[in-house]
Amino acid sequence: DGIFDELTQAREALTESEEELNNELKKVRKILGDPNQQFVSVSRIEYLISVKVSDVHKVPDFWITMGNTKTLKRYQPPKVRDILPVLNQRRERVAIEAKAAWNKFLENFTGKYAKFREFVSRLATLDCLRSGAVLAQSNNYVKPIISTQQQIIINGGRHPVIELLNSTCTPNSTCLKSSKDIEHKVMV
């Protein structure tokens, strides 16, 4: 319905920025001669490059120093620094479009709620009937005979839960019929 088109476009744009950062990481690995180099995040600052103090001589002079410890210095290449504002804008755009898509979905769903509720209710009934049929088949229960008469006749009936809990369950029979003159209310 086009509900998710803008969200898809926003995610594609975000992926482009992430790919740009991955390409910059490949360049950083070549410059530092470290194929395992990864971006790190420190104190909520993302996409930093950690370099051992002994390898600082490999770092270009134009990289921006973002912090250091006794053993490491952290840098951010200028190109990475240029990509980050665009990346953050695209993240925000994805969040905004996701919320808008969710609201559109809810708006469309609201008009169809009654149909979905009815469908789920019928599906739940079908699930119960199927579960009962599987249980009946596995315990050799008989299939009920459905008729148009207002009656329930049970011959040698056994309750499945009681039968599982107590091996000496005694089957019971009952016959409930409706009379045309008398209204019966029965709890089964």
Side-chain angles (χ1 to χ4, degrees):
D1 293 10
I3 293 175
F4 301 108
D5 291 345
E6 282 114 19
L7 178 58
T8 302
Q9 291 171 0
R11 284 190 175 164
E12 288 170 356
L14 178 61
T15 301
E16 285 176 24
S17 292
E18 290 169 343
E19 286 298 319
E20 285 182 63
L21 287 166
N22 285 334
N23 291 335
E24 285 304 309
L25 181 60
K26 290 175 186 175
K27 293 176 187 175
V28 166
R29 289 174 177 163
K30 284 182 184 178
I31 291 169
L32 298 178
D34 181 2
N36 297 321
Q37 181 70 50
Q38 295 292 329
F39 286 121
V40 295
S41 296
V42 177
S43 300
R44 301 177 88 184
I45 301 173
E46 297 179 295
Y47 297 99
L48 299 175
I49 303 294
S50 290
V51 180
K52 293 179 185 174
V53 172
S54 59
D55 294 332
V56 168
H57 65 279
K58 297 177 182 178
V59 176
D61 293 336
F62 57 88
W63 283 17
I64 302 157
T65 304
M66 299 298 290
N68 54 14
T69 65
K70 287 183 180 181
T71 58
L72 294 172
K73 283 198 168 201
R74 293 190 186 90
Y75 297 92
Q76 200 168 55
K79 182 67 175 164
V80 170
R81 197 173 185 96
D82 293 341
I83 296 170
L84 285 178
V86 175
L87 176 78
N88 289 330
Q89 286 175 342
R90 289 178 174 177
R91 284 177 176 163
E92 287 179 26
R93 192 80 201 141
V94 166
I96 290 167
E97 293 301 336
K99 187 174 183 177
W102 177 248
N103 288 337
K104 284 180 188 176
F105 169 77
L106 289 178
E107 205 174 280
N108 288 341
F109 182 77
T110 301
K112 301 170 187 168
Y113 174 76
K115 289 180 183 179
F116 277 105
R117 183 171 175 235
E118 180 66 23
F119 173 76
V120 169
S121 175
R122 290 180 183 204
L123 188 62
T125 301
L126 185 62
D127 182 47
C128 289
L129 291 172
R130 183 192 173 281
S131 296
V134 168
L135 179 69
Q137 187 176 23
S138 66
N139 289 320
N140 296 321
Y141 296 148
V142 296
K143 182 173 107 178
I145 299 169
I146 308 296
S147 74
T148 57
Q149 297 175 354
Q150 293 186 355
Q151 63 182 6
I152 297 175
I153 300 172
I154 301 171
N155 293 317
R158 305 175 332 248
H159 192 284
V161 175
I162 294 174
E163 193 170 52
L164 286 173
L165 298 174
N166 184 359
S167 61
T168 60
C169 179
T170 305
N172 293 301
S173 298
T174 189
C175 179
L176 304 172
K177 291 184 179 182
S178 175
S179 172
K180 292 180 182 174
D181 300 333
I182 305 169
E183 182 180 325
H184 292 282
K185 293 185 180 180
V186 179
M187 183 186 316
V188 180

